[in-house]
Each structure stands twice: as C-alpha cells, then as structure tokens.
Amino acid sequence: MATVYEERAKVFKALCDARRQHILELLHGGEKCACVLIDEMNMPQSSLSYHMKILCESGIVTGREDGKWTHYRISEQGSRKAIALLKEITAVDDDDTGASSC
C-alpha cells in the first residue's frame, strides 16, 4: 500500500516533465486518440505509452480502449485532486510565526 507521500509524488511526477506538459496541453481540447498524440508529439508509440502510464497513474488523465487504440482525456476529478493537493502541501499555518525551532 502506497504512503500518502508516494501518492503525492505520482501527481508531481506526472507534472514535472516537459513532454507530459505538452501532452496535457494537447488534451485541453478534449479526448484524443493515442495515434493522434503520437503524430502531434512526434514520438514513438513506446515513448508515448510510458508518458501516458505516468499521467494515468497520477489520476490526472484517463484512458479508454477502442479497438487497438486508447483514447485519452484529462480527468476533471484528477485535475481537482491535483489542485487541492498543491494547495494542501503549500498552505501556511496561520499560527506559524515563521520562527524556526532549530
């Protein structure tokens, strides 16, 4: 069972690569077939598959099988979760005076 830190890391791993950022930008317009992403990204199927696995494991992207191809889209629920996660881990406590206890 993954720890909360491992689950958080999956989201940030998905977002920290320029190619995955490009894929997400392409998916802004709606669902796209892997074949379209391969052409638009100019990358081999194996490379796209690697990146899509990371995006899907994060929950930010979902895929559905249609014959030999998979169609991908941004998950609204996964997107909301990623935004909430960033807010959660970067929130500053109101009681925090900024003083270190070191």
Side-chain angles (χ1 to χ4, degrees):
M1 184 170 186
T3 69
V4 66
Y5 304 112
E6 291 167 331
E7 289 300 317
R8 288 175 179 173
K10 285 180 185 179
V11 172
F12 292 107
K13 179 178 181 179
L15 299 173
C16 75
D17 182 87
R19 289 162 292 207
R20 291 190 285 275
Q21 291 284 323
H22 188 184
I23 291 166
L24 289 170
E25 184 177 313
L26 293 172
L27 294 176
H28 279 178
E31 183 178 89
K32 290 205 186 304
C33 176
C35 60
V36 171
L37 293 172
I38 288 168
D39 288 343
E40 291 189 22
M41 294 292 297
N42 193 27
M43 70 171 48
Q45 186 275 331
S46 58
S47 295
L48 179 71
S49 180
Y50 168 77
H51 292 292
M52 298 315 296
K53 179 178 186 280
I54 292 169
L55 287 165
C56 287
E57 285 179 350
S58 76
I60 296 171
V61 170
T62 60
R64 70 172 178 84
E65 300 291 323
D66 184 19
K68 72 175 195 168
W69 293 107
T70 303
H71 296 258
Y72 296 100
R73 65 178 177 82
I74 294 175
S75 163
E76 288 184 38
Q77 180 181 0
S79 176
R80 285 191 302 269
K81 178 182 169 186
I83 292 167
L85 174 61
L86 180 60
K87 287 180 179 180
E88 175 187 325
I89 66 172
T90 59
V92 178
D93 290 336
D94 289 336
D95 297 339
D96 188 10
T97 62
S100 176
S101 61
C102 296

